Amino acid sequence: MRRERALGGAGSRGAGRRHIIPALRGDEGATATVVAVLFAFGVLFGVAMTVVDAGSLYATRRNLQSAADAGALAGVQQLPSDTAGAAADADIYVQENAAFPVEWVTSSFSSTTGSGFTDTIHVTVRGTAPVFFARWFGHGDKPIEAGATAVVGSPTTYESGVMPFGILAEDLAPPYGLPLGEEYTLKLAAGDASQGNYHIVDLTSFSDENNTKNLIKDGGSSQPISIGDTFPTQPGNVQVPNYKALNDYLSGCDHEFADLVHDASGIYKPPLDPDGVSCRRFIVCPVVVIDGLAAPECFDWEETTGATYVRVIGFLNVFVRGDADADAGTMTGRLLQVASTEMTGRMPLQPYAGVRWWLEE
């Protein structure tokens, strides 16, 4: 009997130990789980803090870049003549477009496209990006800089609106003997009538138009015209119907030169009249040379016979004064620089051509 009790007691003690050990192991597992959860939460919280602060830096930089772009595009429209005005406009547009505090704005200028004019503005903007969680670790707001470069140049293409009055270049160097801003008489029918050409370039030769008269009445070409394109001249005495079509197109547009708005550079920009409508008296004419001929023959209308091909080497923006005189075969006007949404392509600024502005990549 005593042996049985002894055995029974020993068995009871062993069973108690076996129950205690698994319980201790269960507590250790729970603690490890809690530690893992807390660690994971800490990592996620740290990631969240980084994302929030990085997002603030990114948003500030994007906004400052947009503000710098706006400033550069605003300032470049005062070039090439007014760098002080360009810098002032750049500052105004940066401040208006920046959603964050701007510490300073600087503008620098250069001539980089070979035009000889001050044609480039570079705007640099500095601001401050707020941080939130980084302050817990002793970090303050971060300075951010952004820059943008804008260039003024001339187009290589007019998408539409080119009139077929060909201006034969006097030489290959602009402005082809026509001084910018001065009044002059543009002779459109000074060629030898026996040759059958009256300085009309058939810009309808590749479009759905059937004659230049309708093209003029509609305000010019409906297809893009680019430097380097070739077109035949339009033979025959089309002088009277074309001038009549031009006068019909100008009908009701009684603006005088002084009525039109322009900037400090003398560059005219839409809207081109006080009523907010583009003035019809601004017309675009192609500057041409006789294709396939060398100087001086390529500058001589006497070399044209029938439908002679001419090559476009530039464009002139002409403000037409009064009515086109069909009897005299002349048009009185002023040569201007005009900026229009119809212009595309890039080349260095030309003193006789249109004007475009663009942001450098």
Side-chain angles (χ1 to χ4, degrees):
M1 295 294 293
R2 287 193 296 272
R3 182 179 301 169
E4 290 177 359
R5 287 195 295 272
L7 291 173
S12 297
R13 288 194 298 272
R17 285 196 298 271
R18 286 195 298 270
H19 284 93
I20 292 172
I21 291 173
L24 291 175
R25 288 174 178 168
D27 291 342
E28 291 174 356
T31 301
T33 301
V34 171
V35 170
V37 169
L38 291 176
F39 178 77
F41 178 78
V43 171
L44 291 175
F45 187 67
V47 170
M49 290 191 298
T50 302
V51 168
V52 169
D53 284 343
S56 175
L57 295 174
Y58 178 77
T60 302
R61 179 168 181 78
R62 284 291 301 271
N63 179 255
L64 285 183
Q65 186 62 58
S66 296
D69 291 347
L73 279 175
V76 75
Q77 296 185 40
Q78 298 296 334
L79 299 183
S81 63
D82 188 4
T83 55
D89 282 357
D91 184 78
I92 291 172
Y93 275 78
V94 166
Q95 301 292 344
E96 289 181 350
N97 286 274
F100 300 90
V102 174
E103 297 176 6
W104 51 260
V105 180
T106 61
S107 296
S108 57
F109 303 91
S110 60
S111 178
T112 59
T113 59
S115 66
F117 300 99
T118 300
D119 54 27
T120 304
I121 179 173
H122 182 75
V123 176
T124 304
V125 183
R126 172 175 288 180
T128 301
V131 296
F132 304 98
F133 299 105
R135 296 182 186 280
W136 298 356
F137 303 98
H139 299 291
D141 294 343
K142 300 296 184 182
I144 299 291
E145 282 192 10
T149 300
V151 179
V152 58
S154 292
T156 58
T157 299
Y158 280 74
E159 296 296 327
S160 63
V162 179
M163 292 290 196
F165 304 114
I167 300 173
L168 198 65
E170 295 184 7
D171 54 58
L172 290 177
Y176 310 119
L178 301 175
L180 185 67
E182 294 187 15
E183 187 169 331
Y184 66 96
T185 298
L186 179 62
K187 295 185 178 295
L188 297 178
D192 185 355
S194 64
Q195 298 287 76
N197 277 286
Y198 288 83
H199 301 194
I200 303 298
V201 179
D202 188 6
L203 301 178
T204 70
S205 60
F206 69 110
S207 70
D208 294 332
E209 302 285 351
N210 57 13
N211 56 56
T212 54
K213 177 184 71 174
N214 287 343
L215 182 145
I216 295 168
K217 191 174 181 179
D218 292 339
S221 62
S222 59
Q223 301 290 327
I225 307 295
S226 301
I227 291 175
D229 288 345
T230 58
F231 300 95
T233 57
Q234 185 176 14
N237 190 359
V238 294
Q239 173 184 341
V240 173
N242 280 323
Y243 271 90
K244 184 179 185 303
L246 180 61
N247 283 327
D248 289 342
Y249 175 72
L250 299 178
S251 176
C253 184
D254 299 323
H255 299 125
E256 294 293 335
F257 181 81
D259 295 335
L260 303 173
V261 295
H262 62 280
D263 66 6
S265 300
I267 298 170
Y268 288 70
K269 295 175 288 187
L272 298 175
D273 69 56
D275 300 324
V277 179
S278 294
C279 177
R280 290 189 170 192
R281 292 191 173 275
F282 283 101
I283 67 172
V284 181
C285 300
V287 178
V288 298
V289 294
I290 301 173
D291 197 44
L293 297 181
E297 286 79 10
C298 66
F299 307 119
D300 187 358
W301 280 117
E302 299 292 331
E303 298 295 330
T304 61
T305 302
T308 301
Y309 272 83
V310 294
R311 175 166 45 90
V312 178
I313 64 171
F315 303 94
L316 289 179
N317 295 275
V318 179
F319 176 78
V320 180
R321 298 290 302 273
D323 295 332
D325 189 344
D327 293 330
T330 62
M331 230 175 11
T332 301
R334 297 179 71 171
L335 175 63
L336 301 169
Q337 286 190 302
V338 177
S340 169
T341 57
E342 294 295 325
M343 302 174 184
T344 58
R346 301 180 179 185
M347 69 175 178
L349 183 64
Q350 306 295 327
Y352 62 90
V355 176
R356 284 199 64 219
W357 301 285
W358 63 83
L359 282 173
E360 288 286 83
E361 298 294 336

